[in-house]
Amino acid sequence: MTETRAATEPRYIVRFGRAERVQHGILMTSFLALAATGLPLLFSGEAWAGVLARLLGGFVFAGLLHRFFALALIGVFVFHVGWLAYRIFVKKERGMLWGPASMSPQPRDLIELYQHVKWFLRVGPRPEFDRFTYWEKFDYWAVFWGMFIIGGSGLMLWFPELFSWFVPGWIFNIAMLVHGEEALLAVGFIFTIHFFNGHLRPEKFPMDLVIFTGRVSEEEFRHERSLELARLAARGVHIDALIGTPPNPRLLRWGRLGGTVAVTVGLSLFVMIIYAFLN
């Protein structure tokens, strides 16, 4: 009886380690907080912005919170770059730079995008994916260029006296424009495209918990990462070697709570932005 139960219980593949999950948690929390504290400042003339700012303790305190979470975002970004450098140069994980397990954009991503469009139009089969899909890579690299554009312009506006030693005054006007517009682009992208890909598309609805628990079911792994499974099998790695412990129940609860809060807050802020533009 016990053997029968064990044979029917789902098995789980370890997809993300603790370091990756913690970094994503800090990134998610700081981005949401930056959006919640920054949008009332950007749309200060809107009635909803005043209400949201008062809920956060007023415009002045919202500005202080905005700077605090900016430091958190910059901190996790710097840590992530150092963590990548350690894995590449110290642990010699050169496969992170190029290859099927790399986040680097590669020609096959364009092929998979083309195949995916054909599948959407029902004129081709569903493409098979390896460890990372093209849209996951796009989300990942969007953070990089966003950090340099939003983070760089934000630091200029935060420390104008310091930067005035190096740049002319008109640069600050551009920094003000770029910071707000790029932030709106990032917020719009994350709260619609990223949320849809991660949680709201039919295969994942209502929520994909893999980034919170680090585990994905064997059935889901076989369906979504068939190329990765075939690649590992060709190297003599059996799927049993990838099996880990089931998701921690506490992580499942916190993941559902955190993900629900993130999606709710994100979509609410996006609706407020649309309302502000239409108004």
Side-chain angles (χ1 to χ4, degrees):
M1 185 68 177
T2 304
E3 293 180 356
T4 303
R5 188 185 303 120
T8 56
E9 288 179 350
R11 304 198 301 174
Y12 292 89
I13 307 293
V14 178
R15 181 156 171 74
F16 297 116
R18 178 178 296 178
E20 292 157 313
R21 290 184 281 116
V22 170
Q23 289 176 68
H24 179 270
I26 297 174
L27 174 67
M28 181 186 76
T29 304
S30 56
F31 184 84
L32 277 172
L34 284 168
T37 55
L39 290 175
L41 302 176
L42 187 62
F43 294 99
S44 57
E46 295 290 329
W48 61 262
V51 174
L52 183 55
R54 283 192 290 276
L55 290 175
L56 295 170
F59 281 103
V60 174
F61 193 66
L64 293 175
L65 288 175
H66 194 73
R67 290 167 174 78
F68 172 80
F69 285 106
L71 286 177
L73 187 61
I74 292 172
V76 74
F77 179 75
V78 171
F79 175 85
H80 182 71
V81 173
W83 181 69
L84 291 178
Y86 173 77
R87 293 182 60 182
I88 293 170
F89 298 110
V90 178
K91 299 183 72 175
K92 309 295 183 185
E93 297 182 24
R94 301 298 166 78
M96 295 181 63
L97 294 173
W98 194 262
S102 170
M103 287 295 285
S104 298
Q106 296 167 56
R108 64 182 176 85
D109 295 314
L110 294 176
I111 297 173
E112 290 173 358
L113 171 61
Y114 173 69
Q115 293 173 335
H116 218 179
V117 171
K118 289 180 64 178
W119 181 65
F120 287 144
L121 298 175
R122 299 181 183 278
V123 294
R126 183 182 184 277
E128 297 180 287
F129 297 105
D130 208 296
R131 180 162 180 77
F132 298 112
T133 63
Y134 66 86
W135 68 84
E136 290 169 337
K137 293 182 181 181
F138 188 87
D139 289 359
Y140 178 81
W141 287 102
V143 176
F144 267 79
W145 73 61
M147 280 301 301
F148 286 106
I149 297 174
I150 302 178
S153 57
L155 288 173
M156 288 185 64
L157 299 173
W158 190 356
F159 302 104
E161 294 86 358
L162 174 63
F163 282 92
S164 65
W165 285 88
F166 312 103
V167 297
W170 58 269
I171 292 291
F172 292 94
N173 293 331
I174 295 179
M176 177 74 78
L177 180 66
V178 166
H179 192 70
E181 297 300 322
E182 175 66 16
L184 283 180
L185 179 64
V187 166
F189 177 81
I190 294 295
F191 294 162
T192 55
I193 305 299
H194 178 70
F195 278 2
F196 176 79
N197 285 333
H199 306 295
L200 304 179
R201 60 189 165 108
E203 292 176 322
K204 298 295 182 183
F205 188 83
M207 191 169 294
D208 186 357
L209 295 169
V210 63
I211 197 59
F212 302 110
T213 66
R215 267 72 172 164
V216 62
S217 71
E218 179 183 352
E219 179 184 6
E220 193 174 345
F221 180 77
R222 287 181 180 276
H223 176 66
E224 292 193 339
R225 311 290 164 175
S226 53
L227 282 186
E228 181 179 7
L229 184 61
R231 175 170 56 82
L232 293 174
R235 291 168 46 192
V237 179
H238 193 271
I239 194 170
D240 287 348
L242 307 176
I243 301 297
T245 56
N248 185 307
R250 189 171 61 175
L251 287 179
L252 281 173
R253 289 194 297 272
W254 280 106
R256 289 193 182 96
L257 176 62
T260 302
V261 170
V263 172
T264 303
V265 171
L267 292 180
S268 299
L269 291 173
F270 182 73
V271 170
M272 291 178 189
I273 293 173
I274 298 299
Y275 175 78
F277 277 110
L278 295 177
N279 196 34

